[in-house]
Amino acid sequence: MKTSLKKYVCDDCARTGEFSSYIKARASGWAVAKDYSKCYCPNCAPKHRRGGANGKSAKPKQWLPNGCEQIKLDI
């Protein structure tokens, strides 16, 4: 069992937290980058999360410019 705690420092507000693993840090609301180079506290994390992490999704890109949609044919 790990007894040493790793110190996490928020890159925005410099808030610190000590956790035994990155899994426990993420479970308590901290955002930790995939390469562990950056981390953000629970207060600053929502600003840095991408759309998929927040449950948002971007509108799909249009293939045709506006006004060039297909015309409906009535037969």
Side-chain angles (χ1 to χ4, degrees):
M1 185 170 156
K2 289 185 178 180
T3 57
S4 62
L5 298 176
K6 185 174 179 188
K7 190 174 190 178
Y8 289 85
V9 180
C10 179
D11 289 343
D12 279 350
C13 66
R15 180 178 168 188
T16 60
E18 291 184 350
F19 302 99
S20 59
S21 68
Y22 75 94
I23 296 171
K24 299 216 184 232
R26 286 183 177 168
S28 66
W30 283 71
V32 182
K34 287 184 181 179
D35 59 355
Y36 309 109
S37 62
K38 297 180 182 180
C39 63
Y40 301 102
C41 69
N43 293 335
C44 299
K47 295 184 287 187
H48 296 279
R49 288 197 170 111
R50 298 200 181 263
N54 282 334
K56 300 176 186 173
S57 60
K59 293 188 334 187
K61 293 182 181 179
Q62 287 186 333
W63 287 75
L64 298 172
N66 288 335
C68 294
E69 294 85 10
Q70 183 176 356
I71 299 172
K72 181 179 175 184
L73 299 174
D74 291 329
I75 298 179

